[in-house]
Amino acid sequence: QQDHSSLGSRPFFLVDLGGQAGSGTTPADDPRLPAAELRLAQLACPSLGLATDGAAVTGAATRLAASLDLVVTTEEELGRVLARIEAAPLAAMTLAQLLRHNTGCTVTDGLLAESLAYSTLQSGPEFAAWLAGEGRGGREISDEEAGGPIVMTRDGACLIVELNRPQRRNAFSAGLRDALAGALDMVVRDGTIEKVLVSGRGPDFCSGGDLDEFGTLKDPASAHALRSARNLGRTIDTLRGRMEFRLHGACVGAGIELAAFASRVVADKDSFFQLPELSMGLVPGAGGTVSMLGRIGRQRLAYMALSGVKVPAPLALAWGLIDKVSG
């Protein structure tokens, strides 16, 4: 129904899983459930479930909960998510649809869908409003650190790659992207490199996309063409068995989306992980709707993206977003 959509008065669909629907009086094999599951998959907005701590979720509610885009367990979590959905309903709708689509997709198909969704939102009113408001910082796009945006050293069969923009918290710029892509293209061609170890210099591994470059490409179609021609996530996935990321500090946006493609991700105990894109009217665009989806599943990924919360390293480990906490 249009009322439950980004065009209506309620850009979300909310189910109380702890109410009568969760009482167990409706069995999980109720013949009406397939139609309800289909309707949830077709909603033009995120579907949310509230299952407060201690509430019994049984019967049909258990099955419906698995079909929802997101399930929260506290009123505080729900309020945070609803506020961000209402602030960016188009981006929230696109995120929910994208994660539904990418569940079960190949990496190639998922990355294609993510790029098209991201490009669409780049031409939308929510991203335009962000650019006109806080948006880019207005600074000139600075030269890279001495030595280039990455520093590479070889230790036998291991290639060590360090992100080298510490003055910008290793913000993911076009220059950094191209340098890292060039290094990984070399690895694809060089069978003598058995392992690639990626880390970052400075206080943070990566603070996400360089905000000074957001919206600077001439049009969203060209941005999609660029992502299609040079997709770092696809390359890391190709090399995943040879890739290890060592993370610390802030791992925001691309800082965790790309790392999640690797077969091994180790993070310092002070690390945190965050997806802030919805506040800009966007969805994760560095491959996270594929890489992170495979590690933590649709509902946890939707919670990170829709809430914007910082996930600490111990929780990320429990979820499977990372493989080890060090330090």
Side-chain angles (χ1 to χ4, degrees):
Q1 297 176 2
Q2 183 167 306
D3 183 54
H4 290 288
S5 76
S6 59
L7 304 176
S9 59
R10 299 187 68 189
F12 58 87
F13 183 80
L14 178 61
V15 179
D16 182 1
L17 294 171
Q20 290 188 356
S23 66
T25 57
T26 304
D29 59 355
D30 188 289
R32 296 170 296 177
L33 283 174
E37 291 169 329
L38 177 61
R39 183 68 188 100
L40 288 172
Q42 295 173 337
L43 278 175
C45 67
S47 58
L48 314 174
L50 176 62
T52 53
D53 292 337
V57 180
T58 59
T62 302
R63 182 168 163 182
L64 283 176
S67 298
L68 297 171
D69 296 312
L70 171 62
V71 175
V72 295
T73 58
T74 69
E75 294 283 353
E76 180 183 359
E77 289 177 340
L78 179 62
R80 184 185 300 118
V81 169
L82 292 183
R84 287 169 61 88
I85 291 175
E86 290 172 341
L90 293 172
M93 173 195 69
T94 303
L95 175 78
Q97 293 172 327
L98 179 60
L99 295 185
R100 294 171 201 161
H101 174 273
N102 282 2
T103 300
C105 270
T106 65
V107 169
T108 297
D109 288 346
L111 289 174
L112 173 62
E114 179 187 278
S115 182
L116 289 169
Y118 191 90
S119 297
T120 298
L121 291 171
Q122 279 185 305
S123 60
E126 293 166 1
F127 182 59
W130 177 81
L131 283 176
E134 53 183 299
R136 293 191 296 269
R139 296 181 297 269
E140 292 293 327
I141 298 174
S142 61
D143 293 332
E144 305 291 352
E145 278 281 315
I150 65 171
V151 174
M152 294 188 292
T153 54
R154 183 80 181 257
D155 182 8
C158 179
L159 179 68
I160 300 168
V161 180
E162 297 175 281
L163 308 188
N164 187 39
R165 302 190 75 210
Q167 83 286 6
R168 296 299 299 274
R169 301 172 63 208
N170 291 324
F172 206 75
S173 64
L176 176 54
R177 176 201 65 214
D178 291 345
L180 187 55
L184 296 183
D185 286 345
M186 177 190 68
V187 175
V188 170
R189 298 190 300 270
D190 188 346
T192 68
I193 300 176
E194 298 175 2
K195 181 178 180 179
V196 182
L197 182 60
V198 182
S199 61
R201 294 184 172 184
D204 298 299
F205 173 71
C206 178
S207 59
D210 192 326
L211 298 187
D212 288 350
E213 295 184 358
F214 273 43
T216 56
L217 285 176
K218 61 182 181 179
D219 61 83
S222 297
H224 170 61
L226 180 61
R227 283 190 294 270
S228 299
R230 175 160 280 190
N231 193 294
L232 267 177
R234 184 172 60 230
T235 305
I236 295 172
D237 182 70
T238 299
L239 297 168
R240 62 179 298 112
R242 298 155 69 182
M243 300 286 302
E244 178 176 329
F245 280 73
R246 294 188 180 173
L247 312 180
H248 69 283
C251 307
V252 179
I256 182 57
E257 295 177 57
L258 292 172
F261 279 106
S263 63
R264 183 164 175 80
V265 182
V266 179
D268 286 356
K269 63 182 180 181
D270 68 340
S271 303
F272 70 85
F273 309 91
Q274 188 177 27
L275 297 176
E277 293 88 350
L278 197 79
S279 65
M280 307 170 194
L282 299 172
V283 296
T289 66
V290 177
S291 62
M292 296 174 68
L293 182 66
R295 280 182 169 266
I296 65 176
R298 180 166 66 104
Q299 293 186 342
R300 284 174 173 164
L301 178 51
Y303 177 67
M304 284 189 67
L306 289 174
S307 69
V309 297
K310 295 179 180 179
V311 175
L315 181 57
L317 178 64
W319 284 0
L321 182 58
I322 60 176
D323 302 301
K324 181 180 178 181
V325 174
S326 65

Tab-separated table of all heavy atoms in Angstrom, residues 152-202:
chain	number	residue	atom	x	y	z
A	152	MET	N	53.940	0.187	-0.131
A	152	MET	CA	54.041	-1.259	-0.297
A	152	MET	C	55.452	-1.733	0.018
A	152	MET	O	56.431	-1.094	-0.381
A	152	MET	CB	53.687	-1.673	-1.730
A	152	MET	CG	52.248	-1.440	-2.120
A	152	MET	SD	51.864	-2.177	-3.734
A	152	MET	CE	52.856	-1.130	-4.823
A	153	THR	N	55.547	-2.842	0.723
A	153	THR	CA	56.826	-3.507	0.961
A	153	THR	C	56.636	-4.998	0.737
A	153	THR	O	55.531	-5.534	0.916
A	153	THR	CB	57.351	-3.252	2.387
A	153	THR	OG1	56.345	-3.628	3.336
A	153	THR	CG2	57.710	-1.788	2.589
A	154	ARG	N	57.700	-5.650	0.353
A	154	ARG	CA	57.651	-7.092	0.077
A	154	ARG	C	58.456	-7.834	1.143
A	154	ARG	O	59.593	-7.473	1.444
A	154	ARG	CB	58.207	-7.367	-1.319
A	154	ARG	CG	58.149	-8.826	-1.781
A	154	ARG	CD	56.797	-9.224	-2.271
A	154	ARG	NE	56.765	-10.629	-2.674
A	154	ARG	CZ	56.794	-11.046	-3.945
A	154	ARG	NH1	56.856	-10.162	-4.932
A	154	ARG	NH2	56.754	-12.324	-4.235
A	155	ASP	N	57.857	-8.832	1.733
A	155	ASP	CA	58.529	-9.683	2.709
A	155	ASP	C	58.367	-11.123	2.253
A	155	ASP	O	57.391	-11.802	2.591
A	155	ASP	CB	57.939	-9.476	4.098
A	155	ASP	CG	58.636	-10.296	5.169
A	155	ASP	OD1	59.686	-10.907	4.853
A	155	ASP	OD2	58.144	-10.346	6.309
A	156	GLY	N	59.312	-11.576	1.450
A	156	GLY	CA	59.206	-12.909	0.879
A	156	GLY	C	57.992	-13.015	-0.022
A	156	GLY	O	57.826	-12.250	-0.973
A	157	ALA	N	57.104	-13.957	0.295
A	157	ALA	CA	55.902	-14.163	-0.519
A	157	ALA	C	54.743	-13.296	-0.066
A	157	ALA	O	53.634	-13.426	-0.588
A	157	ALA	CB	55.493	-15.628	-0.469
A	158	CYS	N	55.004	-12.398	0.909
A	158	CYS	CA	53.935	-11.529	1.447
A	158	CYS	C	54.112	-10.093	0.959
A	158	CYS	O	55.205	-9.530	1.057
A	158	CYS	CB	53.957	-11.573	2.972
A	158	CYS	SG	52.700	-10.527	3.754
A	159	LEU	N	53.044	-9.514	0.453
A	159	LEU	CA	53.030	-8.096	0.089
A	159	LEU	C	52.314	-7.336	1.196
A	159	LEU	O	51.157	-7.626	1.508
A	159	LEU	CB	52.317	-7.880	-1.244
A	159	LEU	CG	52.214	-6.420	-1.710
A	159	LEU	CD1	53.584	-5.871	-2.066
A	159	LEU	CD2	51.252	-6.282	-2.897
A	160	ILE	N	52.992	-6.358	1.786
A	160	ILE	CA	52.416	-5.554	2.859
A	160	ILE	C	51.992	-4.212	2.266
A	160	ILE	O	52.803	-3.502	1.663
A	160	ILE	CB	53.440	-5.333	3.992
A	160	ILE	CG1	53.873	-6.691	4.560
A	160	ILE	CG2	52.845	-4.454	5.088
A	160	ILE	CD1	55.075	-6.619	5.476
A	161	VAL	N	50.722	-3.894	2.411
A	161	VAL	CA	50.154	-2.655	1.867
A	161	VAL	C	49.621	-1.815	3.022
A	161	VAL	O	48.788	-2.296	3.805
A	161	VAL	CB	49.016	-2.950	0.861
A	161	VAL	CG1	48.450	-1.647	0.313
A	161	VAL	CG2	49.511	-3.836	-0.272
A	162	GLU	N	50.104	-0.573	3.134
A	162	GLU	CA	49.648	0.323	4.188
A	162	GLU	C	48.941	1.530	3.575
A	162	GLU	O	49.486	2.191	2.684
A	162	GLU	CB	50.832	0.820	5.024
A	162	GLU	CG	51.574	-0.265	5.770
A	162	GLU	CD	52.795	0.284	6.478
A	162	GLU	OE1	53.819	0.486	5.785
A	162	GLU	OE2	52.725	0.526	7.698
A	163	LEU	N	47.720	1.805	4.033
A	163	LEU	CA	47.045	3.031	3.628
A	163	LEU	C	47.826	4.198	4.228
A	163	LEU	O	48.174	4.186	5.407
A	163	LEU	CB	45.601	3.052	4.119
A	163	LEU	CG	44.742	1.814	3.788
A	163	LEU	CD1	43.285	2.079	4.173
A	163	LEU	CD2	44.862	1.415	2.339
A	164	ASN	N	48.088	5.237	3.411
A	164	ASN	CA	49.042	6.270	3.811
A	164	ASN	C	48.454	7.678	3.681
A	164	ASN	O	49.041	8.565	3.062
A	164	ASN	CB	50.325	6.135	2.972
A	164	ASN	CG	51.425	7.053	3.446
A	164	ASN	OD1	51.609	7.246	4.651
A	164	ASN	ND2	52.168	7.628	2.505
A	165	ARG	N	47.282	7.869	4.270
A	165	ARG	CA	46.721	9.221	4.364
A	165	ARG	C	46.384	9.522	5.838
A	165	ARG	O	45.238	9.865	6.169
A	165	ARG	CB	45.454	9.344	3.514
A	165	ARG	CG	45.634	9.024	2.043
A	165	ARG	CD	44.384	9.419	1.264
A	165	ARG	NE	44.318	10.855	1.101
A	165	ARG	CZ	43.181	11.558	0.999
A	165	ARG	NH1	42.014	10.943	1.088
A	165	ARG	NH2	43.213	12.863	0.848
A	166	PRO	N	47.328	9.383	6.727
A	166	PRO	CA	47.017	9.536	8.157
A	166	PRO	C	46.489	10.911	8.517
A	166	PRO	O	45.714	11.044	9.468
A	166	PRO	CB	48.361	9.250	8.843
A	166	PRO	CG	49.397	9.536	7.800
A	166	PRO	CD	48.762	9.115	6.509
A	167	GLN	N	46.884	11.930	7.762
A	167	GLN	CA	46.397	13.277	8.054
A	167	GLN	C	44.914	13.421	7.758
A	167	GLN	O	44.267	14.349	8.253
A	167	GLN	CB	47.211	14.316	7.255
A	167	GLN	CG	46.770	14.533	5.811
A	167	GLN	CD	47.151	13.402	4.861
A	167	GLN	OE1	47.661	12.356	5.276
A	167	GLN	NE2	46.912	13.609	3.577
A	168	ARG	N	44.366	12.506	6.982
A	168	ARG	CA	42.937	12.488	6.678
A	168	ARG	C	42.279	11.213	7.210
A	168	ARG	O	41.240	10.803	6.714
A	168	ARG	CB	42.700	12.604	5.168
A	168	ARG	CG	43.154	13.906	4.530
A	168	ARG	CD	42.437	15.119	5.113
A	168	ARG	NE	41.001	15.035	4.905
A	168	ARG	CZ	40.370	15.453	3.800
A	168	ARG	NH1	41.069	16.002	2.819
A	168	ARG	NH2	39.077	15.350	3.688
A	169	ARG	N	42.911	10.613	8.207
A	169	ARG	CA	42.398	9.372	8.819
A	169	ARG	C	42.173	8.290	7.748
A	169	ARG	O	41.260	7.503	7.821
A	169	ARG	CB	41.117	9.656	9.605
A	169	ARG	CG	41.293	10.677	10.727
A	169	ARG	CD	39.969	11.070	11.337
A	169	ARG	NE	39.306	9.943	11.961
A	169	ARG	CZ	37.983	9.837	12.086
A	169	ARG	NH1	37.183	10.795	11.608
A	169	ARG	NH2	37.454	8.789	12.684
A	170	ASN	N	43.059	8.312	6.747
A	170	ASN	CA	42.994	7.358	5.636
A	170	ASN	C	41.644	7.379	4.940
A	170	ASN	O	41.126	6.330	4.506
A	170	ASN	CB	43.334	5.945	6.114
A	170	ASN	CG	44.795	5.809	6.499
A	170	ASN	OD1	45.672	6.407	5.874
A	170	ASN	ND2	45.065	5.065	7.552
A	171	ALA	N	41.057	8.575	4.825
A	171	ALA	CA	39.801	8.710	4.081
A	171	ALA	C	40.003	8.154	2.677
A	171	ALA	O	41.038	8.369	2.037
A	171	ALA	CB	39.374	10.176	4.031
A	172	PHE	N	38.988	7.455	2.201
A	172	PHE	CA	39.110	6.708	0.949
A	172	PHE	C	38.865	7.649	-0.234
A	172	PHE	O	37.737	7.896	-0.638
A	172	PHE	CB	38.115	5.549	0.944
A	172	PHE	CG	38.544	4.406	0.084
A	172	PHE	CD1	39.546	3.548	0.505
A	172	PHE	CD2	37.964	4.190	-1.148
A	172	PHE	CE1	39.952	2.490	-0.288
A	172	PHE	CE2	38.362	3.144	-1.951
A	172	PHE	CZ	39.360	2.289	-1.527
A	173	SER	N	39.954	8.157	-0.784
A	173	SER	CA	39.890	9.087	-1.909
A	173	SER	C	40.019	8.328	-3.227
A	173	SER	O	40.341	7.132	-3.254
A	173	SER	CB	41.026	10.098	-1.804
A	173	SER	OG	42.284	9.426	-1.916
A	174	ALA	N	39.813	9.058	-4.333
A	174	ALA	CA	39.996	8.446	-5.649
A	174	ALA	C	41.438	8.005	-5.835
A	174	ALA	O	41.715	6.944	-6.408
A	174	ALA	CB	39.583	9.431	-6.737
A	175	GLY	N	42.384	8.823	-5.342
A	175	GLY	CA	43.790	8.457	-5.452
A	175	GLY	C	44.132	7.204	-4.674
A	175	GLY	O	44.880	6.332	-5.151
A	176	LEU	N	43.575	7.076	-3.476
A	176	LEU	CA	43.802	5.878	-2.668
A	176	LEU	C	43.167	4.666	-3.338
A	176	LEU	O	43.773	3.583	-3.409
A	176	LEU	CB	43.230	6.088	-1.268
A	176	LEU	CG	43.279	4.902	-0.305
A	176	LEU	CD1	44.685	4.364	-0.169
A	176	LEU	CD2	42.726	5.302	1.060
A	177	ARG	N	41.959	4.840	-3.836
A	177	ARG	CA	41.289	3.736	-4.536
A	177	ARG	C	42.110	3.250	-5.719
A	177	ARG	O	42.328	2.045	-5.897
A	177	ARG	CB	39.915	4.198	-5.024
A	177	ARG	CG	39.147	3.169	-5.854
A	177	ARG	CD	38.092	3.853	-6.706
A	177	ARG	NE	38.716	4.724	-7.695
A	177	ARG	CZ	38.191	5.879	-8.128
A	177	ARG	NH1	37.033	6.300	-7.648
A	177	ARG	NH2	38.830	6.606	-9.040
A	178	ASP	N	42.595	4.175	-6.544
A	178	ASP	CA	43.328	3.791	-7.743
A	178	ASP	C	44.657	3.124	-7.396
A	178	ASP	O	45.080	2.164	-8.057
A	178	ASP	CB	43.566	5.012	-8.631
A	178	ASP	CG	42.281	5.534	-9.263
A	178	ASP	OD1	41.274	4.798	-9.254
A	178	ASP	OD2	42.287	6.679	-9.746
A	179	ALA	N	45.323	3.641	-6.358
A	179	ALA	CA	46.598	3.048	-5.961
A	179	ALA	C	46.398	1.635	-5.437
A	179	ALA	O	47.166	0.712	-5.768
A	179	ALA	CB	47.264	3.929	-4.904
A	180	LEU	N	45.362	1.439	-4.620
A	180	LEU	CA	45.091	0.105	-4.088
A	180	LEU	C	44.660	-0.843	-5.198
A	180	LEU	O	45.070	-2.012	-5.230
A	180	LEU	CB	44.018	0.196	-3.001
A	180	LEU	CG	43.721	-1.075	-2.213
A	180	LEU	CD1	44.989	-1.651	-1.586
A	180	LEU	CD2	42.676	-0.802	-1.134
A	181	ALA	N	43.872	-0.344	-6.135
A	181	ALA	CA	43.457	-1.179	-7.267
A	181	ALA	C	44.662	-1.596	-8.096
A	181	ALA	O	44.758	-2.757	-8.525
A	181	ALA	CB	42.449	-0.420	-8.132
A	182	GLY	N	45.594	-0.672	-8.308
A	182	GLY	CA	46.791	-1.012	-9.062
A	182	GLY	C	47.630	-2.071	-8.367
A	182	GLY	O	48.153	-2.999	-9.008
A	183	ALA	N	47.749	-1.955	-7.043
A	183	ALA	CA	48.512	-2.952	-6.288
A	183	ALA	C	47.869	-4.320	-6.386
A	183	ALA	O	48.562	-5.343	-6.578
A	183	ALA	CB	48.612	-2.513	-4.822
A	184	LEU	N	46.551	-4.383	-6.267
A	184	LEU	CA	45.870	-5.678	-6.304
A	184	LEU	C	45.851	-6.264	-7.710
A	184	LEU	O	45.889	-7.491	-7.875
A	184	LEU	CB	44.456	-5.532	-5.751
A	184	LEU	CG	44.383	-5.137	-4.274
A	184	LEU	CD1	42.934	-5.085	-3.805
A	184	LEU	CD2	45.189	-6.089	-3.399
A	185	ASP	N	45.798	-5.411	-8.727
A	185	ASP	CA	45.906	-5.919	-10.098
A	185	ASP	C	47.255	-6.600	-10.301
A	185	ASP	O	47.358	-7.620	-10.995
A	185	ASP	CB	45.739	-4.771	-11.098
A	185	ASP	CG	44.300	-4.295	-11.220
A	185	ASP	OD1	43.394	-5.011	-10.755
A	185	ASP	OD2	44.092	-3.190	-11.756
A	186	MET	N	48.293	-6.028	-9.695
A	186	MET	CA	49.616	-6.634	-9.774
A	186	MET	C	49.620	-8.002	-9.101
A	186	MET	O	50.209	-8.965	-9.613
A	186	MET	CB	50.643	-5.719	-9.106
A	186	MET	CG	52.055	-6.286	-9.052
A	186	MET	SD	53.155	-5.293	-8.013
A	186	MET	CE	52.460	-5.595	-6.383
A	187	VAL	N	48.933	-8.110	-7.948
A	187	VAL	CA	48.877	-9.379	-7.232
A	187	VAL	C	48.167	-10.438	-8.067
A	187	VAL	O	48.577	-11.607	-8.092
A	187	VAL	CB	48.176	-9.198	-5.870
A	187	VAL	CG1	47.996	-10.537	-5.169
A	187	VAL	CG2	48.962	-8.237	-4.981
A	188	VAL	N	47.112	-10.052	-8.744
A	188	VAL	CA	46.384	-11.003	-9.591
A	188	VAL	C	47.313	-11.612	-10.632
A	188	VAL	O	47.232	-12.817	-10.935
A	188	VAL	CB	45.192	-10.298	-10.279
A	188	VAL	CG1	44.564	-11.191	-11.342
A	188	VAL	CG2	44.142	-9.894	-9.249
A	189	ARG	N	48.231	-10.796	-11.148
A	189	ARG	CA	49.135	-11.265	-12.204
A	189	ARG	C	50.377	-11.976	-11.659
A	189	ARG	O	51.072	-12.654	-12.416
A	189	ARG	CB	49.574	-10.090	-13.079
A	189	ARG	CG	48.433	-9.394	-13.813
A	189	ARG	CD	48.980	-8.410	-14.840
A	189	ARG	NE	49.808	-7.380	-14.214
A	189	ARG	CZ	49.362	-6.210	-13.758
A	189	ARG	NH1	48.056	-5.941	-13.844
A	189	ARG	NH2	50.177	-5.346	-13.214
A	190	ASP	N	50.681	-11.787	-10.387
A	190	ASP	CA	51.932	-12.295	-9.816
A	190	ASP	C	51.649	-13.461	-8.868
A	190	ASP	O	51.282	-13.268	-7.707
A	190	ASP	CB	52.650	-11.165	-9.066
A	190	ASP	CG	54.048	-11.545	-8.611
A	190	ASP	OD1	54.381	-12.747	-8.629
A	190	ASP	OD2	54.819	-10.644	-8.232
A	191	GLY	N	51.848	-14.659	-9.354
A	191	GLY	CA	51.581	-15.836	-8.548
A	191	GLY	C	52.566	-16.056	-7.425
A	191	GLY	O	52.343	-16.909	-6.559
A	192	THR	N	53.687	-15.321	-7.416
A	192	THR	CA	54.663	-15.484	-6.337
A	192	THR	C	54.218	-14.778	-5.051
A	192	THR	O	54.810	-15.005	-3.989
A	192	THR	CB	56.045	-14.936	-6.743
A	192	THR	OG1	55.991	-13.513	-6.864
A	192	THR	CG2	56.494	-15.549	-8.062
A	193	ILE	N	53.205	-13.914	-5.132
A	193	ILE	CA	52.672	-13.247	-3.933
A	193	ILE	C	51.585	-14.149	-3.361
A	193	ILE	O	50.497	-14.277	-3.917
A	193	ILE	CB	52.114	-11.851	-4.262
A	193	ILE	CG1	53.209	-10.970	-4.850
A	193	ILE	CG2	51.518	-11.208	-3.009
A	193	ILE	CD1	52.731	-9.603	-5.302
A	194	GLU	N	51.905	-14.781	-2.251
A	194	GLU	CA	50.989	-15.744	-1.655
A	194	GLU	C	50.050	-15.108	-0.632
A	194	GLU	O	49.012	-15.690	-0.298
A	194	GLU	CB	51.788	-16.868	-0.989
A	194	GLU	CG	52.652	-17.648	-1.978
A	194	GLU	CD	53.534	-18.677	-1.289
A	194	GLU	OE1	53.448	-18.804	-0.046
A	194	GLU	OE2	54.307	-19.355	-1.999
A	195	LYS	N	50.413	-13.928	-0.124
A	195	LYS	CA	49.595	-13.271	0.880
A	195	LYS	C	49.699	-11.768	0.724
A	195	LYS	O	50.766	-11.237	0.431
A	195	LYS	CB	50.053	-13.674	2.300
A	195	LYS	CG	49.239	-13.052	3.422
A	195	LYS	CD	49.710	-13.539	4.783
A	195	LYS	CE	48.893	-12.920	5.908
A	195	LYS	NZ	49.324	-13.417	7.249
A	196	VAL	N	48.581	-11.088	0.928
A	196	VAL	CA	48.545	-9.621	0.927
A	196	VAL	C	48.029	-9.185	2.288
A	196	VAL	O	46.925	-9.571	2.701
A	196	VAL	CB	47.631	-9.066	-0.181
A	196	VAL	CG1	47.663	-7.533	-0.176
A	196	VAL	CG2	48.048	-9.605	-1.541
A	197	LEU	N	48.813	-8.383	2.988
A	197	LEU	CA	48.451	-7.899	4.316
A	197	LEU	C	48.190	-6.402	4.224
A	197	LEU	O	49.084	-5.625	3.901
A	197	LEU	CB	49.592	-8.173	5.300
A	197	LEU	CG	49.377	-7.770	6.751
A	197	LEU	CD1	48.170	-8.488	7.343
A	197	LEU	CD2	50.630	-8.076	7.571
A	198	VAL	N	46.945	-5.986	4.491
A	198	VAL	CA	46.551	-4.584	4.351
A	198	VAL	C	46.322	-3.985	5.740
A	198	VAL	O	45.567	-4.539	6.546
A	198	VAL	CB	45.265	-4.444	3.510
A	198	VAL	CG1	44.912	-2.962	3.330
A	198	VAL	CG2	45.442	-5.113	2.149
A	199	SER	N	46.962	-2.845	6.003
A	199	SER	CA	46.765	-2.125	7.262
A	199	SER	C	46.768	-0.628	6.954
A	199	SER	O	46.828	-0.234	5.791
A	199	SER	CB	47.868	-2.475	8.273
A	199	SER	OG	49.144	-2.103	7.767
A	200	GLY	N	46.687	0.189	7.976
A	200	GLY	CA	46.647	1.632	7.761
A	200	GLY	C	47.544	2.368	8.734
A	200	GLY	O	47.687	1.967	9.885
A	201	ARG	N	48.151	3.443	8.284
A	201	ARG	CA	48.980	4.277	9.140
A	201	ARG	C	48.122	5.319	9.853
A	201	ARG	O	47.072	5.703	9.353
A	201	ARG	CB	50.066	4.963	8.318
A	201	ARG	CG	51.095	4.001	7.725
A	201	ARG	CD	52.211	4.717	6.990
A	201	ARG	NE	53.277	3.796	6.602
A	201	ARG	CZ	54.413	4.161	6.004
A	201	ARG	NH1	54.614	5.446	5.728
A	201	ARG	NH2	55.333	3.262	5.695
A	202	GLY	N	48.602	5.768	10.998
A	202	GLY	CA	47.869	6.793	11.727
A	202	GLY	C	46.901	6.211	12.733
A	202	GLY	O	46.889	5.003	12.995
